[in-house]
Amino acid sequence: MVYCGKPSTACDRCRPRRLKCDRATPSCSQCMRAQVICPGYRDALDLNFRDQSDDVVRKVARQGQRKSVITARTSQQVVRSTPLLTFGLPPSRDELAKGYFFTNFGGCHMPYLLAMSEHPRECSINAALTAVGLAALANLHVSQQLMLAARRHYTTALSQTNHALGDAASFRKNETLAGVILLSTFELITCGDGSFIDRWARHMDGAARLIEIRGTRQLKTPEGLHLFTVLRSQIVIGRVYEGRYTSPILTHLTEEAQKYRSPDFQVLDQLGLAIIRVCNFCAAVKDGTLTQPTEIIRSALDLDADLVSILLSVPDSWVYSTAELPEFKQERTMHAVWGDKIHLYRNLTISTAWNKYRSTRLILHELIINTVHTCPLNIISHQERQTLLDQSQKMSRQIVQDICASVPYHLGTSDRGSNPTISGGITIVWPLLVTATSRFASRDFREWVMSCLDGIGHYLGINQALASARLLRDGVETQSWISSEYGNSSPGSSSSR
């Protein structure tokens, strides 16, 4: 304890300003003149003696920090920030991880997660958010310690989500479904090899059962409708990759979703229905339900026409602009752009939907081309064969160019003035993978795609992109809807390069 002499009796506002304070009540004249609330006065008796233990501790700490300032620049930054400690503790590692998530993913992709995370009972949401944020940061900084912490939070979130799935009161909550999405996102961020697709597909199987049981009630709130839309997209992509059918319930829910969607975004459900039909068509080709070449070609052309008709009548808000670029003279793989055009979209939801449309059409035209190549000459005439090949090849090349033109927008390298985000990186991986495994992918183009995927992995912390790049380098078949009878002519096989 130290005697500090006679303290000032001025109010808390006048004292630091060295103003003459008349100590009037309830407000001094200086505060009244400034038209502010007078903060009040200190108790002079209490201030005659002051405990300076904390001051001594701070002085000793500052002396130690000054000694280490030459060898550790970061220590100097900590010293400069110490006055902030009087107003509150610095954010914890977990809070920083969640902040990274909301900045780079949740803010635009799932904005309702912030409100969910603030609810004291939603421990699973907070654990999952922290796990995803820490995992991305661990990848960026190559930190085993951060990844171990991320996996601990993931284990907690997984346990709590499984508990919620077994509880009748929590089973149908939006928070439970959001937790499932976050857990699948964690798998995409942390995957270490090509088997990530199988693990992610298993997550999607569980998600599919969950949204089917939730029924149409989930579509009546903005959060529930958005969660359904996000999961439907991922489920259908997984089914297309595996060559499996979707359930009739998913089709019914997609039809019902249009009733609760704003007019400008009903195209999402129309497109969803068309892609579901394509998914079931690919499954029928794979399991041998459809075997006649003419029937396969006719069905593929009908489905392609349905897709085109949907996107020809999109609202004005869905129309994107195209910017011309100067020709690059340097090596292509060093640039984030392939070709001489880039697309600019209103938002990531719209650009992602366009690329799903393009990827689906590319799959259909690849299937048409493979069917024509393997079809006996006595079934399709030479002229019909050549016409089909010319049309599908021309359309496929245009689709590949359009997907490539969207890459700068997703990676934040266009003039839209934003930084790359996790959501932008994740949503472009599948279209890039589809284009790179098409028969129109030259060696240089595949190298460019792999460089894009490597960039997504290294700069955004998404291991899914790195694993996809390895799949391409290894020449692994990634289009399982192509029947094995096509053999080496399949677009994903290395011999077709």
Side-chain angles (χ1 to χ4, degrees):
M1 303 295 289
V2 178
Y3 177 70
C4 301
K6 184 178 180 179
S8 171
T9 58
C11 74
D12 290 342
R13 181 177 179 275
C14 293
R15 188 173 62 256
R17 290 173 171 79
R18 298 184 180 276
L19 299 176
K20 186 176 180 181
C21 182
D22 59 8
R23 299 195 74 250
T25 57
S27 175
C28 73
S29 58
Q30 296 285 7
C31 292
M32 291 180 66
R33 186 179 300 108
Q35 295 183 347
V36 298
I37 299 176
C38 184
Y41 310 93
R42 303 186 298 176
D43 190 333
L45 290 177
D46 289 342
L47 292 171
N48 282 337
F49 291 88
R50 183 168 69 245
D51 187 352
Q52 287 193 316
S53 300
D54 293 339
D55 289 342
V56 173
V57 172
R58 280 195 294 269
K59 288 178 181 178
V60 172
R62 280 198 296 268
Q63 290 173 358
Q65 288 166 343
R66 290 192 188 102
K67 292 177 181 179
S68 61
V69 70
I70 297 176
T71 57
R73 179 76 62 179
T74 54
S75 296
Q76 189 178 36
Q77 296 172 353
V78 173
V79 173
R80 291 172 180 170
S81 65
T82 50
L84 297 177
L85 298 179
T86 60
F87 298 96
L89 295 174
S92 65
R93 180 184 61 186
D94 294 352
E95 290 171 336
L96 290 173
K98 286 194 290 185
Y100 179 82
F101 176 90
F102 283 118
T103 302
N104 294 277
F105 185 80
C108 61
H109 192 60
M110 293 188 287
Y112 42 81
L113 282 177
L114 181 59
M116 290 181 179
S117 67
E118 292 174 347
H119 197 286
R121 294 184 179 180
E122 294 305 328
C123 300
S124 61
I125 289 289
N126 279 291
L129 286 171
T130 305
V132 173
L134 283 173
L137 290 172
N139 289 339
L140 288 174
H141 298 285
V142 196
S143 171
Q144 185 177 7
Q145 182 180 11
L146 286 177
M147 185 58 73
L148 288 173
R151 294 194 179 279
R152 284 196 294 269
H153 284 285
Y154 172 80
T155 302
T156 300
L158 182 62
S159 174
Q160 292 171 342
T161 300
N162 287 336
H163 177 75
L165 291 173
D167 179 48
S170 302
F171 185 81
R172 300 179 186 273
K173 292 173 61 177
N174 288 334
E175 289 79 2
T176 303
L177 195 58
V180 173
I181 293 177
L182 290 171
L183 292 175
S184 67
T185 303
F186 182 88
E187 288 289 348
L188 297 179
I189 289 177
T190 60
C191 61
D193 51 43
S195 64
F196 79 91
I197 298 181
D198 296 326
R199 295 195 301 272
W200 174 74
R202 286 195 293 271
H203 273 289
M204 291 303 101
D205 286 342
R209 289 191 294 270
L210 182 55
I211 63 175
E212 289 171 6
I213 294 173
R214 279 162 55 93
T216 56
R217 185 178 179 181
Q218 66 187 308
L219 309 174
K220 298 180 181 180
T221 65
E223 294 83 4
L225 182 61
H226 188 273
L227 286 165
F228 167 77
T229 305
V230 171
L231 274 176
R232 178 188 64 195
S233 174
Q234 296 184 14
I235 290 166
V236 174
I237 287 176
R239 294 290 191 270
V240 169
Y241 169 78
E242 296 177 302
R244 293 168 54 194
Y245 295 94
T246 59
S247 74
I249 299 176
L250 187 64
T251 300
H252 171 70
L253 290 173
T254 301
E255 293 170 344
E256 290 294 309
Q258 295 183 72
K259 301 177 182 178
Y260 306 97
R261 191 91 62 182
S262 64
D264 275 2
F265 285 92
Q266 288 178 352
V267 65
L268 286 173
D269 302 306
Q270 297 165 9
L271 185 60
L273 287 170
I275 295 177
I276 287 173
R277 289 194 292 271
V278 172
C279 176
N280 293 334
F281 166 68
C282 292
V285 172
K286 183 181 179 182
D287 69 8
T289 301
L290 289 177
T291 57
Q292 293 298 321
T294 54
E295 185 179 4
I296 292 174
I297 293 171
R298 183 175 61 254
S299 298
L301 289 173
D302 289 343
L303 290 167
D304 186 62
D306 290 342
L307 286 164
V308 172
S309 65
I310 292 171
L311 270 297
L312 282 177
S313 57
V314 296
D316 291 341
S317 60
W318 278 64
V319 178
Y320 57 88
S321 59
T322 302
E324 299 280 346
L325 297 176
E327 183 179 355
F328 290 114
K329 295 182 180 179
Q330 296 92 343
E331 187 180 352
R332 285 283 193 172
T333 55
M334 299 302 293
H335 298 282
V337 180
W338 182 272
D340 58 357
K341 297 180 178 66
I342 62 171
H343 292 168
L344 302 173
Y345 301 84
R346 188 175 295 270
N347 57 49
L348 193 60
T349 298
I350 292 174
S351 63
T352 300
W354 272 103
N355 277 339
K356 289 173 186 172
Y357 155 81
R358 293 166 183 144
S359 301
T360 306
R361 290 194 67 200
L362 185 58
I363 289 169
L364 286 173
H365 284 287
E366 285 278 352
L367 192 51
I368 291 172
I369 293 171
N370 278 290
T371 304
V372 169
H373 278 314
T374 59
C375 181
L377 294 176
N378 61 339
I379 295 180
I380 301 178
S381 68
H382 176 75
Q383 183 177 357
E384 290 176 328
R385 182 189 303 270
Q386 195 60 47
T387 300
L388 287 169
L389 287 175
D390 289 345
Q391 291 177 346
S392 288
Q393 289 170 356
K394 180 180 179 181
M395 186 54 60
S396 296
R397 291 190 181 95
Q398 183 61 53
I399 291 171
V400 169
Q401 291 175 11
D402 288 341
I403 291 176
C404 293
S406 74
V407 172
Y409 181 86
H410 280 258
L411 300 186
T413 53
S414 66
D415 62 356
R416 66 191 173 110
S418 62
N419 295 320
T421 62
I422 295 176
S423 52
I426 287 179
T427 53
I428 198 62
V429 169
W430 169 252
L432 283 174
L433 196 57
V434 171
T435 58
T437 55
S438 74
R439 64 172 53 248
F440 304 100
S442 64
R443 184 181 299 275
D444 287 344
F445 177 76
R446 283 169 58 87
E447 288 293 333
W448 177 80
V449 170
M450 287 185 283
S451 71
C452 288
L453 293 171
D454 287 337
I456 293 170
H458 292 305
Y459 294 107
L460 293 177
I462 305 171
N463 279 5
Q464 173 206 20
L466 298 177
S468 298
R470 283 195 293 272
L471 284 176
L472 294 176
R473 290 189 175 94
D474 294 340
V476 175
E477 173 65 68
T478 57
Q479 295 183 356
S480 62
W481 60 87
I482 300 297
S483 172
S484 59
E485 68 181 87
Y486 296 121
N488 292 336
S489 64
S490 64
S493 62
S494 57
S495 60
S496 65
R497 307 301 166 212

